[in-house]
């Protein structure tokens, strides 16, 4: 009895921590887990690697727009499949956090602190989660009659956050910055530190994910928490229910705010 996981780069914290939770939960249920990691191949090729290994059901943690996800579901034929990083309107089974609610909560927090100049350091444009986080950031700003102060762009890695932030320094700094994941926040904070910009006194920084490391940043990172352990477990449980022909509940999981020391 084997489950297949197609995943984004496991060198990234969030996919790695999700995969770890999936592995543990699958093994408790008596399933082997086979992992196919997408590198330079297509999503469909990654999924085909799993199908070739005769998995019984599939979990897809790859960023997909609705049409791509629906194609992949077709590819899987009658095998149960669940999507974890997909455009919410896709007509496929899903288990994921609401990106819109997370980004909105972050903006509400920054506005409540009195900030008007709010920037975004976003993830890669191809990632559906980055697209949705950006759209929600814009809408939440507009709801407060605020305009976007700046948009920087990274690739989810700490290095890309560092480089994007360096380009913005020293003088075009917003009062507050939403960073679309904690790893990029790590790099951005390093660049700010090098320029002697005090966090949170001179700039508030809020991250996204709450990976296991985020409480250990200096200062400890305020962030939008997606409980990655819970996500991994819920996705296995939903898939197992599907395999037993139970119609699983499909409400998006709710992210929450973790207030630490990088916003004021
Ligand atoms: C998403 C993370 O929030 C982000 O930090 C990055 O690791 C990305 O995954 C990689 O694909 S979480 C995803 C389930 C939307």
């Amino acid at each position: 009895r084997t489950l297949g996981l197609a995943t984004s780069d496991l060198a990234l914290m969030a996919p790695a921590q999700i995969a770890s939770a999936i592995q543990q939960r699958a093994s408790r249920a008596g399933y082997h887990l086979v992992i196919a990691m997408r590198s330079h191949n297509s999503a469909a090729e990654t999924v085909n690697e799993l199908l070739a290994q005769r998995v019984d059901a599939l979990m897809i943690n790859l960023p997909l727009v609705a049409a791509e996800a629906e194609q992949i579901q077709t590819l899987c034929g009658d095998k149960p499949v669940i999507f974890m990083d997909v455009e919410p309107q896709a007509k496929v089974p899903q288990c994921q956090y609401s990106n819109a609610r997370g980004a909105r909560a972050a903006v509400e927090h920054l506005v409540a602190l009195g900030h008007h100049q709010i920037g975004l350091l976003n993830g890669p444009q191809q990632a559906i989660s980055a697209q949705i986080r950006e759209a929600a950031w814009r809408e939440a700003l507009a709801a407060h009659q605020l305009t976007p102060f700046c948009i920087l762009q990274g690739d989810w890695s700490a290095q890309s956050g560092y480089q994007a932030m360096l380009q913005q320094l020293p003088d075009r700094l917003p009062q507050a910055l939403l960073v679309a994941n904690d790893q990029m926040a790590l790099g951005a904070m390093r660049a700010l530190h090098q320029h002697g910009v005090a966090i949170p006194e001179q700039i508030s920084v809020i991250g996204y994910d709450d990976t296991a490391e985020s409480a250990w940043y200096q200062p400890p990172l305020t962030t939008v928490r997606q409980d990655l352990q819970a996500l991994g477990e819920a996705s296995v449980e939903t898939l197992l229910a599907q395999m037993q022909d139970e119609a699983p509940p499909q409400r998006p999981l709710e992210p929450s705010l973790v207030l630490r020391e990088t916003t004021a």
Side-chain angles (χ1 to χ4, degrees):
R1 307 201 301 164
T2 308
L3 301 183
L5 168 65
T7 180
S8 305
D9 191 356
L10 290 173
L12 292 171
M13 294 294 184
Q17 290 173 18
I18 293 166
S20 165
I22 288 176
Q23 157 73 55
Q24 287 170 32
R25 185 65 188 85
S27 132
R28 261 205 289 144
Y31 282 86
H32 290 290
L33 184 70
V34 178
I35 296 182
M37 190 174 94
R38 182 172 180 185
S39 42
H40 295 293
N41 52 354
S42 68
E45 280 164 343
T46 311
V47 170
N48 272 326
E49 278 177 36
L50 295 174
L51 292 169
Q53 298 181 71
R54 301 174 175 281
V55 297
D56 298 301
L58 297 92
M59 322 181 67
I60 315 292
N61 185 13
L62 299 172
L64 300 169
V65 296
E68 291 172 315
E70 284 154 17
Q71 276 165 14
I72 284 184
Q73 192 182 32
T74 308
L75 197 67
C76 295
D78 54 10
K79 293 200 170 157
V81 54
I82 188 156
F83 292 82
M84 305 172 65
D85 189 0
V86 64
E87 207 175 349
Q89 56 265 41
K91 291 182 184 59
V92 297
Q94 4 186 315
C95 184
Q96 57 185 346
Y97 284 94
S98 165
N99 288 296
R101 285 178 181 273
R104 198 179 309 143
V107 172
E108 293 303 331
H109 170 60
L110 298 174
V111 170
L113 290 170
H115 299 304
H116 301 296
Q117 301 173 344
I118 301 177
L120 174 69
L121 168 43
N122 204 12
Q125 248 145 27
Q126 325 80 271
I128 186 67
S129 60
Q131 291 168 25
I132 297 172
R133 288 170 200 178
E134 176 177 335
W137 168 77
R138 286 181 187 281
E139 277 167 31
L141 290 180
H144 290 280
Q145 286 83 45
L146 298 175
T147 49
F149 183 83
C150 60
I151 301 193
L152 315 180
Q153 161 104 50
D155 66 5
W156 298 128
S157 70
Q159 175 174 332
S160 72
Y162 174 77
Q163 281 164 342
M165 196 72 241
L166 272 191
Q167 288 183 0
Q168 195 71 9
L169 284 159
D171 39 35
R172 291 250 318 133
L173 280 189
Q175 295 167 331
L177 185 67
L178 167 59
V179 187
N181 82 340
D182 290 357
Q183 281 187 269
M184 292 191 298
L186 178 64
M189 284 167 66
R190 171 88 191 138
L192 289 164
H193 180 75
Q194 274 182 3
H195 277 75
V197 180
I199 306 165
E201 291 80 4
Q202 291 169 274
I203 184 171
S204 282
V205 175
I206 183 166
Y208 205 111
D209 279 342
D210 198 27
T211 53
E213 289 70 27
S214 306
W216 307 99
Y217 287 22
Q218 180 56 32
L221 186 66
T222 292
T223 190
V224 177
R225 174 171 169 79
Q226 322 191 73
D227 185 332
L228 303 172
Q229 180 79 30
L231 174 61
E233 289 173 6
S235 58
V236 173
E237 284 159 15
T238 312
L239 188 62
L240 295 178
Q242 242 171 270
M243 293 167 79
Q244 260 113 58
D245 280 328
E246 291 162 23
Q250 285 207 16
R251 292 213 295 112
L253 302 169
E254 285 288 330
S256 56
L257 271 190
V258 181
L259 302 181
R260 294 197 184 100
E261 294 173 34
T262 54
T263 54

